[in-house]
Amino acid sequence: MAPIPGSGLAKGLAVTLRTMTKKTVTEQYPDTQPDLPPRTRGVIGLFEENCTVCMLCARECPDWCIYIDSHKETVPAATPGGRERSRNVLDRFAIDFSLCMYCGICIEVCPFDALFWSPEFEYAETDIRDLTHERDKLREWMWTVPAPPALDPGAEEPKEIAAARKTAEKLATTQPEPTTPQPTDSTGSNPEPPAGPTAPEGDAS
C-alpha cells in the first residue's frame, strides 16, 4: 500500500505539538548551577598527604599528561642504633588537562588514594598553555570532592574492620582478670584475720 502523501509531515508536526505542551527543562546556566551526579568526571583533585611519589599514575596515563618531580630526604633513625631511611618528597604534581581524556585510569591505579574525581568543571582558560594545573590548584579541587556514599545496610563488613574487631575480642578474652589486693599492715605483711566471737567458758549451749 502506497503511503499517504503528507503523512511524514503530519507525524513530524505531531511530535512538535506534543513537545510544545510539555514543561521546559532548560537550565539558566550560569545563573543557575546544574545539579551534577555525584560521580561526575569534572576534574581531578590531589590529596597531597597520601601521595608517595610512586609514579604509578604517570606511568599508566595513556596520554602522558601527568608531570611529577620529587627528591629524596634522609629520615633519622627512630630508635638509638637504628638505621637511617630515605623517603621521596613531592616537589611537583601537575596535570595537563588539554591532553587529559578523563579516562580515570590514574585514579583507579593509585594505591594510596591520593587522586579523586571532583565535579568541578569551570576551569576553562583562554590560553591552552594555562590548562596545565599545578598541585596547589589540584589541592583546591580536592575540597570539592563529594563524600562517598553510605554503605548498603546489607553489605558485607569490610575486611579491615572485621580483622580489627576480631583482634580486639581476642585480646579482651586473653587478658587476666584483675585480682582484689589484700590489705596489709604497717610492716607490709598481710595481717591475720580477726578471730570471731567466742563463747564464754562453761557455756555448753
Side-chain angles (χ1 to χ4, degrees), residues 38-46 97 100-108 115-120 123 141-142 144-146:
R39 292 175 62 87
T40 299
R41 295 189 177 189
V43 76
I44 298 173
L46 170 67
F97 286 98
C100 179
M101 64 180 186
Y102 304 91
C103 63
I105 293 178
C106 57
I107 298 176
E108 296 296 332
L115 298 174
F116 296 87
W117 278 120
S118 166
E120 181 66 35
Y123 56 95
W141 284 328
M142 181 63 208
T144 63
V145 174

Side-chain angles (χ1 to χ4, degrees), residues 171-182:
L171 291 175
T173 56
T174 56
Q175 288 180 352
E177 295 182 359
T179 57
T180 304
Q182 297 293 333

Side-chain angles (χ1 to χ4, degrees), residues 35-93:
D35 186 12
L36 300 175
R39 292 175 62 87
T40 299
R41 295 189 177 189
V43 76
I44 298 173
L46 170 67
F47 192 58
E48 189 176 331
E49 286 76 3
N50 285 358
C51 182
T52 60
V53 200
C54 65
M55 304 294 292
L56 192 58
C57 57
R59 291 198 300 266
E60 296 295 331
C61 177
D63 293 331
W64 293 84
C65 64
I66 300 177
Y67 311 112
I68 301 176
D69 293 330
S70 65
H71 69 278
K72 288 187 178 293
E73 284 186 357
T74 302
V75 180
T79 58
R83 181 171 60 89
E84 294 182 346
R85 299 181 180 273
S86 63
R87 66 171 182 175
N88 293 323
V89 179
L90 184 66
D91 292 329
R92 184 193 184 200
F93 195 108

Side-chain angles (χ1 to χ4, degrees), residues 26 77 183 205:
T26 304
S205 59

